[in-house]
Amino acid sequence: MADKAPKKMKQEKRKNFVGMADVILMRVVPATMVVVAIIFTLIFININISYTNQIRNRMAGECDSVSNRVQVWSESAMQVLNTLADAVGGGFLGDNSNITAYMAAVRDSVIDGADGFYVVFNDEKGTTLSYDGEEEYPDYIGQDWLDFGLGCDEAAFDKCSYYSEDGVTEYTVTCAKNIKDNSGTVIGMVGTDLQFSMIRDTVDEYSKKFNASFILYDTLSDMVIAASNNDYEGVIKDQATDPFLKNLLSDFDTNKSYQVINTVDGKYVINISNVEDTEWYLMLYEDYDTAFGPLKRTLMMLVGGAVIIFLAIAIF
């Protein structure tokens, strides 16, 4: 009887051990794996959201930084025209001969990216003043660009256009303001034609620093007025034939500052910013893998770590 008691106790211990092992295998291990899976899922989601927000904020900041360069340029032109219109209307620049002499003297310095400025009076002769002197263009009266300038109490931009000279195409926009005499009557307009080649290289240089490319788009004319790719400049939205450009313009929604879009060249991240006081919108676009590469590598490492832990739990 004495020998049977220890043997029975050993059997009970073995039975308890097997029972505990079953509990561990059937309940503890699965429960642990579920907990670990939940933890890694939460970490995965948090990293994904956090990094995506960082990318959005980074691209928004970059886009605003580049568009501010265009804004400074455009605002400078408007401020100069406001001053010139008041000076001509108030008689501070003297008679027409004095005005044209002043135009010739400041032609290359008064407005960056423009070949001076001009004045068109709202008379039957279409009297026009420029650095070339005083001339008459009766056919100017009633034209859209002149009516636009006569209606601007503050300097503003008309829709963009372009011209070709000696085989070179230049994309321009007219900035204009009406001229009022001392009684407040509109007597003409002062205007200038800004050339986007002046700002294009600056914008391109800044966008490249951010590993991105750009499109500067005018919503009044539906025209690409400047771009990293010279072939895109001057293209009207509805007339675009380049597949990649068509993808970019089809998703050019000024109400959405940030988007991830599918193109013929793969996924791209785009950010859009308005140039203040204009109808111009700057789009920065960046390859998705370039923008999200660090995030994808981090998430792959996280998934790999989770798999290793699951295997370790299952084996040991």
Coordinates of all heavy atoms in Angstrom, one line a residue, residues 160-162 171-172 196 214-219 221-237 240 245 248-249 252 281:
C160 N -4.6 84.3 -68.9 CA -3.3 84.1 -69.5 C -3.4 83.8 -71.0 O -4.4 83.3 -71.5 CB -2.5 83.0 -68.8 SG -2.3 83.3 -67.1
S161 N -2.3 84.2 -71.7 CA -2.2 83.9 -73.2 C -0.8 83.7 -73.5 O 0.1 83.6 -72.7 CB -2.8 85.1 -73.9 OG -2.1 86.3 -73.7
Y162 N -0.5 83.6 -74.8 CA 0.9 83.5 -75.3 C 1.1 84.1 -76.6 O 0.1 84.3 -77.4 CB 1.3 82.0 -75.2 CG 0.5 81.1 -76.2 CD1 1.0 80.9 -77.5 CD2 -0.7 80.5 -75.8 CE1 0.3 80.1 -78.4 CE2 -1.3 79.7 -76.7 CZ -0.9 79.5 -78.0 OH -1.6 78.7 -78.9
Y171 N 4.8 82.8 -72.6 CA 3.5 82.7 -72.0 C 3.4 84.0 -71.0 O 4.3 84.2 -70.2 CB 3.3 81.4 -71.2 CG 3.4 80.3 -72.1 CD1 4.6 79.6 -72.4 CD2 2.2 79.8 -72.8 CE1 4.6 78.5 -73.3 CE2 2.3 78.8 -73.7 CZ 3.5 78.1 -73.9 OH 3.5 77.1 -74.8
T172 N 2.3 84.7 -71.2 CA 2.2 86.0 -70.5 C 0.8 86.1 -69.9 O -0.2 85.4 -70.2 CB 2.4 87.2 -71.5 OG1 1.3 87.2 -72.4 CG2 3.7 87.1 -72.2
F196 N 5.9 84.6 -67.9 CA 6.1 83.5 -66.9 C 7.5 82.9 -66.9 O 7.9 82.1 -66.0 CB 5.0 82.5 -67.1 CG 3.7 82.9 -66.5 CD1 2.7 83.4 -67.4 CD2 3.4 82.9 -65.2 CE1 1.5 83.8 -66.9 CE2 2.2 83.3 -64.7 CZ 1.3 83.7 -65.5
F214 N 6.3 70.4 -60.9 CA 5.2 71.4 -60.7 C 4.4 71.7 -62.0 O 4.9 71.5 -63.1 CB 5.7 72.7 -60.1 CG 6.3 73.6 -61.1 CD1 5.5 74.6 -61.6 CD2 7.6 73.5 -61.5 CE1 6.0 75.5 -62.6 CE2 8.1 74.4 -62.4 CZ 7.3 75.4 -63.0
I215 N 3.2 72.1 -61.8 CA 2.4 72.7 -62.9 C 1.8 74.0 -62.3 O 1.2 74.0 -61.2 CB 1.3 71.7 -63.3 CG1 1.8 70.6 -64.2 CG2 0.2 72.5 -64.1 CD1 0.8 69.6 -64.6
L216 N 1.9 75.1 -63.0 CA 1.2 76.3 -62.7 C 0.0 76.5 -63.7 O 0.3 76.6 -64.9 CB 2.1 77.5 -62.7 CG 1.6 78.8 -62.2 CD1 1.2 78.7 -60.7 CD2 2.6 79.9 -62.4
Y217 N -1.2 76.5 -63.1 CA -2.4 76.4 -64.0 C -3.3 77.6 -63.8 O -3.5 78.1 -62.6 CB -3.1 75.1 -63.6 CG -4.4 74.8 -64.4 CD1 -4.3 74.3 -65.6 CD2 -5.6 75.0 -63.8 CE1 -5.4 74.0 -66.4 CE2 -6.8 74.8 -64.6 CZ -6.7 74.2 -65.8 OH -7.8 73.9 -66.6
D218 N -3.8 78.2 -64.9 CA -4.7 79.3 -64.8 C -6.1 78.9 -65.1 O -6.4 78.4 -66.2 CB -4.2 80.4 -65.9 CG -5.2 81.5 -66.0 OD1 -5.7 82.0 -65.0 OD2 -5.4 82.0 -67.2
T219 N -7.0 79.1 -64.1 CA -8.3 78.6 -64.2 C -9.2 79.5 -65.2 O -10.2 79.0 -65.7 CB -9.0 78.5 -62.9 OG1 -9.0 79.8 -62.2 CG2 -8.3 77.5 -62.0
S221 N -8.2 80.7 -68.1 CA -7.9 80.3 -69.5 C -7.8 78.7 -69.6 O -7.7 78.2 -70.8 CB -6.6 80.9 -70.0 OG -5.5 80.5 -69.2
D222 N -7.9 78.0 -68.5 CA -7.7 76.6 -68.5 C -6.4 76.1 -69.1 O -6.4 75.1 -69.8 CB -8.9 75.8 -69.2 CG -10.1 75.8 -68.3 OD1 -10.0 75.8 -67.0 OD2 -11.3 75.7 -68.8
M223 N -5.4 76.9 -68.9 CA -4.1 76.7 -69.5 C -3.0 76.5 -68.5 O -3.0 77.1 -67.4 CB -3.7 77.9 -70.4 CG -2.4 77.8 -71.1 SD -1.8 79.4 -71.8 CE -3.1 79.7 -73.0
V224 N -2.1 75.5 -68.9 CA -0.9 75.4 -68.1 C 0.1 76.5 -68.5 O 0.5 76.6 -69.7 CB -0.2 74.0 -68.4 CG1 1.1 73.9 -67.6 CG2 -1.2 72.9 -68.0
I225 N 0.4 77.4 -67.6 CA 1.2 78.6 -67.9 C 2.6 78.4 -67.6 O 3.5 79.2 -68.0 CB 0.6 79.8 -67.2 CG1 0.4 79.6 -65.8 CG2 -0.7 80.2 -67.9 CD1 -0.2 80.8 -65.0
A226 N 3.0 77.4 -66.8 CA 4.4 77.1 -66.5 C 4.4 75.7 -65.9 O 3.5 75.2 -65.3 CB 5.0 78.1 -65.5
A227 N 5.5 75.0 -66.2 CA 5.6 73.6 -65.7 C 7.1 73.1 -65.7 O 7.9 73.7 -66.5 CB 4.8 72.7 -66.6
S228 N 7.3 72.1 -64.9 CA 8.7 71.5 -64.9 C 9.0 71.0 -66.3 O 10.1 71.0 -66.8 CB 8.8 70.4 -63.9 OG 8.6 70.9 -62.6
N229 N 8.0 70.3 -66.9 CA 8.1 69.8 -68.3 C 7.7 70.9 -69.3 O 6.5 71.3 -69.3 CB 7.3 68.6 -68.4 CG 7.5 67.8 -69.7 OD1 7.9 68.4 -70.7 ND2 7.2 66.5 -69.7
N230 N 8.7 71.4 -70.1 CA 8.4 72.4 -71.0 C 7.3 72.1 -72.0 O 6.6 73.0 -72.5 CB 9.6 72.8 -71.8 CG 10.7 73.5 -70.9 OD1 10.3 74.0 -69.8 ND2 11.9 73.5 -71.3
D231 N 7.1 70.8 -72.3 CA 6.1 70.4 -73.3 C 4.7 70.6 -72.8 O 3.7 70.6 -73.6 CB 6.3 68.9 -73.6 CG 7.6 68.6 -74.4 OD1 8.1 69.6 -75.0 OD2 8.1 67.5 -74.3
Y232 N 4.5 70.8 -71.5 CA 3.2 71.0 -70.9 C 2.7 72.4 -71.0 O 1.6 72.7 -70.9 CB 3.2 70.5 -69.4 CG 3.4 69.0 -69.2 CD1 3.7 68.5 -67.9 CD2 3.3 68.1 -70.2 CE1 3.9 67.2 -67.7 CE2 3.5 66.8 -70.0 CZ 3.8 66.3 -68.8 OH 4.0 65.0 -68.6
E233 N 3.7 73.3 -71.1 CA 3.3 74.7 -71.1 C 2.5 75.1 -72.3 O 2.8 74.8 -73.5 CB 4.6 75.6 -71.1 CG 5.4 75.4 -69.8 CD 6.7 76.2 -69.7 OE1 7.0 76.8 -70.7 OE2 7.3 76.3 -68.6
G234 N 1.4 75.9 -72.1 CA 0.5 76.3 -73.1 C -0.6 75.4 -73.4 O -1.4 75.7 -74.3
V235 N -0.6 74.2 -72.8 CA -1.6 73.2 -73.1 C -2.9 73.6 -72.4 O -3.0 73.8 -71.2 CB -1.1 71.8 -72.6 CG1 -2.3 70.8 -72.8 CG2 0.1 71.4 -73.4
I236 N -4.0 73.6 -73.2 CA -5.4 73.8 -72.7 C -5.9 72.4 -72.1 O -5.6 71.4 -72.7 CB -6.3 74.3 -73.8 CG1 -5.8 75.5 -74.4 CG2 -7.7 74.5 -73.2 CD1 -5.6 76.7 -73.5
K237 N -6.5 72.5 -71.0 CA -7.0 71.3 -70.3 C -7.7 70.3 -71.2 O -7.4 69.1 -71.3 CB -7.8 71.6 -69.1 CG -8.3 70.4 -68.3 CD -9.1 70.9 -67.1 CE -9.6 69.7 -66.3 NZ -10.3 70.1 -65.1
A240 N -5.4 68.5 -74.0 CA -4.2 67.7 -73.6 C -4.2 66.4 -74.3 O -5.2 65.7 -74.3 CB -4.2 67.6 -72.1
L245 N -0.1 63.9 -68.5 CA -0.6 65.3 -68.2 C -2.2 65.2 -68.1 O -2.8 65.9 -67.3 CB -0.2 66.2 -69.3 CG -0.7 67.7 -69.2 CD1 -0.3 68.3 -67.9 CD2 -0.3 68.5 -70.4
L248 N -3.1 64.2 -64.7 CA -2.9 65.3 -63.7 C -4.0 66.3 -63.8 O -4.5 66.7 -62.8 CB -1.5 65.9 -63.9 CG -0.3 65.1 -63.6 CD1 1.0 66.0 -64.0 CD2 -0.2 64.7 -62.2
L249 N -4.3 66.7 -65.0 CA -5.3 67.8 -65.2 C -6.7 67.3 -64.8 O -7.6 68.0 -64.4 CB -5.3 68.3 -66.6 CG -4.0 69.0 -67.0 CD1 -4.1 69.6 -68.4 CD2 -3.7 70.2 -66.0
F252 N -7.2 67.7 -61.3 CA -6.9 69.0 -60.8 C -8.1 69.7 -60.2 O -8.8 70.4 -60.8 CB -6.3 69.9 -62.0 CG -5.4 71.0 -61.5 CD1 -4.1 71.0 -61.9 CD2 -5.9 72.1 -60.8 CE1 -3.2 72.0 -61.5 CE2 -5.0 73.1 -60.4 CZ -3.7 73.1 -60.7
Y281 N -3.2 78.4 -59.9 CA -3.1 77.3 -58.9 C -1.8 76.5 -59.2 O -1.5 76.1 -60.3 CB -4.3 76.4 -58.9 CG -5.5 77.0 -58.3 CD1 -6.3 77.8 -59.1 CD2 -5.8 76.8 -57.0 CE1 -7.4 78.4 -58.5 CE2 -7.0 77.4 -56.4 CZ -7.7 78.2 -57.2 OH -8.9 78.8 -56.7

